[in-house]
Amino acid sequence: AQSVTQLGSHVSVSEGALVLLRCNYSSSVPPYLFWYVQYPNQGLQLLLKYTTGATLVKGINGFEAEFKKSETSFHLTKPSAHMSDAAEYFCAVVIQGAQKLVFGQGTRLTINP
Amino acid sequence: DAGVTQSPTHLIKTRGQQVTLRCSPKSGHDTVSWYQQALGQGPQFIFQYYEEEERQRGNFPDRFSGHQFPNYSSELNVNALLLGDSALYLCASRGPGPGTGELFFGEGSRLTVL
């Protein structure tokens, strides 16, 4: 069965600094990978996804992630953090043709002024 | 274009009671999934409905049941509520075809069981 591990339940960076949120997955077959963001008291919003093709994917709000099969990783990055990036971030995996997303535990991103 | 809408947004119940949560999928979407998100946790898959039938189920007891209507809207029912059922319940929808698994989420219904 597939699973997702997000390293670091809480990440804090300064405004303008690099954001790096780590995600490793476990899957016996090629997965589809997603990053979702959740702002306080809101649902989940898709940031970006990897299905097939180019391993570096760009998403909304300046975020991007790179699929590294050899490392079973899908880390999320943003070159320069903004205060508005403060939120909870979830990495998720789904097996092609499957019906459910499997989420990691989430990483709370705090931005310091 | 309305996204996924859920109701109610907040509700409080006591142990042993029953609750019904409602979801309208995004326009053009025919598949609805429900997820439970406990405080400080990632969402956990409850079940998915397509063509008015439950197609897949996560590791949740039979106290959790659902329904999908001909207009693709859905309900989640939880019977004999326990304190541990307190959570944010998220509804997600996706469109026809195999797709890429991308789901569109509503803002959730926050259930508190006292």
Side-chain angles (χ1 to χ4, degrees):
Chain A
Q2 62 270 32
S3 65
V4 175
T5 301
Q6 292 183 238
L7 302 177
S9 59
H10 190 189
V11 171
S12 181
V13 302
S14 298
E15 190 174 17
L18 171 71
V19 174
L20 171 60
L21 305 183
R22 301 177 186 274
C23 172
N24 288 88
Y25 69 91
S26 171
S27 174
S28 58
V29 297
Y32 292 155
L33 295 159
F34 304 82
W35 275 99
Y36 282 87
V37 61
Q38 186 176 37
Y39 297 100
N41 300 314
Q42 293 189 23
L44 300 175
Q45 179 183 8
L46 181 67
L47 274 178
L48 49 79
K49 64 181 179 183
Y50 169 78
T51 54
T52 58
T55 57
L56 180 64
V57 293
K58 296 185 184 299
I60 62 172
N61 301 338
F63 284 94
E64 63 183 35
E66 185 171 10
F67 170 60
K68 292 187 176 181
K69 183 178 179 180
S70 62
E71 299 177 8
T72 61
S73 68
F74 191 57
H75 301 333
L76 181 71
T77 60
K78 181 174 180 177
S80 177
H82 294 167
M83 296 299 292
S84 60
D85 295 328
E88 188 90 17
Y89 291 80
F90 292 95
C91 182
V93 61
V94 65
I95 302 303
Q96 297 176 36
Q99 304 298 327
K100 67 176 184 179
L101 282 172
V102 176
F103 285 87
Q105 294 285 79
T107 298
R108 180 169 300 277
L109 177 63
T110 300
I111 311 297
N112 301 313
Chain B
D1 176 24
V4 179
T5 59
Q6 294 186 241
S7 64
T9 55
H10 295 83
L11 69 166
I12 300 174
K13 295 285 187 179
T14 57
R15 282 179 298 174
Q17 285 189 312
Q18 179 264 345
V19 67
T20 297
L21 308 178
R22 296 175 176 82
C23 171
S24 293
K26 182 177 171 63
S27 178
H29 286 189
D30 59 0
T31 302
V32 174
S33 301
W34 287 91
Y35 287 77
Q36 180 194 65
Q37 185 180 14
L39 194 64
Q41 303 293 318
Q44 298 287 319
F45 175 76
I46 302 175
F47 42 53
Q48 182 191 70
Y49 277 83
Y50 171 67
E51 292 187 335
E52 302 179 49
E53 291 189 10
E54 183 182 297
R55 298 293 175 169
Q56 189 169 352
R57 187 180 185 91
N59 188 26
F60 280 81
D62 291 344
R63 299 187 297 108
F64 289 76
S65 63
H67 189 77
Q68 185 179 35
F69 300 92
N71 66 353
Y72 308 120
S73 66
S74 177
E75 288 181 349
L76 164 65
N77 300 290
V78 186
N79 295 322
L81 285 167
L82 304 174
L83 295 180
D85 295 331
S86 294
L88 180 67
Y89 289 85
L90 295 166
C91 174
S93 70
R94 70 174 181 88
T100 58
E102 178 181 348
L103 298 179
F104 291 80
F105 285 83
E107 296 196 349
S109 294
R110 186 166 297 281
L111 171 65
T112 301
V113 182
L114 301 177

